[in-house]
Amino acid sequence: MDSLLDGQRVLWGIGTPRTMRPHWALCELAIPYETRAVRTRSPETQTSDFAALNVRRKIPVLQDGDFIITESAAIVAYLSDRYATEGNALFPAGIAERARWLEWCFYIMTELDAASLYMVRRHVGLKHIYGEAPVAVEAAKSYFSKQLVTVTERLTAGEPYLMGEKFSSADILLTTCLTNAISDEIQLPKICMDYLALTTLRPAYRAAHATNHP
Ligand SMILES: N[C@@H](CCC(=O)N[C@@H](CS)C(=O)NCC(=O)O)C(=O)O
């Protein structure tokens, strides 16, 4: 593994929906960075160098100078807070708008990502570790679809993004959950497919995707 480089912006991790999020945010914000193409559960994540970055040995990890941060949703929020210029911020100003954005982020990360998609991941892709659990997998998939009603209701309001006219990091989180759901063969409502057609057309999505899935 490459040694840690002081004073540089380095994103560790490729190949998963969760690593896609910070790559996408960096591209939206036009921030230069280096990628360390470390994959999940690879030998690189088991080194002491990597444990110094994230003791949980998970990707993604952002190293920004001497500041190190994990958790994909926190990384994208940090990047916007630190580097957004007028017009490209990934979350809104204003207390109520900020609270609404946080509400979306927590809902997506808990109900859709952790409680549904990661459950499927554990008992399908990682069944050699967590065991086969077809009932839990089906229940997690139907829980995902049930929870998604919040999104379909919001998108039928006629605005393109979760926060309205303005794209935000909540759209990065949602888009990556929806593409993950498609890979898991979860049927999505048409309005979510239309939303995906819009968000995945963004040049920053395309650029990040090329880095995340080389
Ligand atoms: N909640 C974390 C999840 C990070 C995570 O679970 N990453 C996976 C790859 S998608 C990983 O590195 N897993 C390795 C492991 O569980 O040991 C985030 O959103 O960043």
Side-chain angles (χ1 to χ4, degrees):
M1 183 166 73
D2 294 338
S3 60
L4 306 188
L5 304 169
D6 281 347
Q8 294 197 18
R9 196 172 304 111
V10 180
L11 180 59
W12 304 77
I14 60 163
T16 84
R18 293 167 195 92
T19 57
M20 176 67 183
R21 295 166 185 160
H23 284 290
W24 189 356
L26 284 156
C27 292
E28 288 285 347
L29 294 163
I31 304 169
Y33 70 103
E34 290 178 22
T35 301
R36 294 288 179 272
V38 172
R39 291 190 183 265
T40 178
R41 295 171 183 271
S42 59
E44 288 98 325
T45 63
Q46 303 310 309
T47 63
S48 52
D49 274 359
F50 193 80
L53 290 169
N54 185 356
V55 74
R56 284 176 289 130
R57 301 179 186 277
K58 287 188 172 227
I59 50 170
V61 179
L62 177 74
Q63 181 189 11
D64 192 10
D66 56 9
F67 182 66
I68 294 165
I69 182 165
T70 65
E71 287 298 326
S72 55
I75 298 172
V76 298
Y78 161 75
L79 286 169
S80 182
D81 213 10
R82 180 96 161 78
Y83 294 109
T85 52
E86 204 170 325
N88 72 1
L90 295 175
F91 58 79
I95 289 174
E97 293 83 357
R98 184 84 63 102
R100 185 69 67 213
W101 163 76
L102 273 178
E103 182 183 33
W104 280 116
C105 292
F106 284 122
Y107 149 76
I108 295 164
M109 291 302 291
T110 57
E111 303 293 2
L112 300 185
D113 199 6
S116 307
L117 298 171
Y118 210 72
M119 183 69 78
V120 176
R121 166 101 180 115
R122 276 170 188 252
H123 297 298
V124 178
L126 299 175
K127 64 184 176 196
H128 54 290
I129 299 169
Y130 295 104
E132 286 196 60
V135 174
V137 168
E138 279 321 302
K141 288 184 179 184
S142 74
Y143 187 78
F144 182 95
S145 301
K146 198 171 162 196
Q147 290 296 308
L148 207 56
V149 71
T150 319
V151 170
T152 52
E153 241 180 47
R154 174 69 184 124
L155 296 178
T156 44
E159 289 171 319
Y161 300 116
L162 289 175
M163 292 304 297
E165 290 300 322
K166 186 112 182 41
F167 179 82
S168 77
S169 75
D171 297 296
I172 291 180
L173 303 183
L174 179 60
T175 297
T176 49
C177 282
L178 294 178
T179 55
N180 189 160
I182 291 172
S183 309
D184 287 345
E185 296 175 349
I186 298 173
Q187 190 83 32
L188 296 181
K190 182 179 179 305
I191 196 146
C192 290
M193 297 304 290
D194 294 345
Y195 167 84
L196 273 184
L198 181 76
T199 56
T200 60
L201 253 190
R202 294 177 73 85
Y205 175 92
R206 299 281 158 138
H209 193 274
T211 306
N212 195 48
H213 296 286

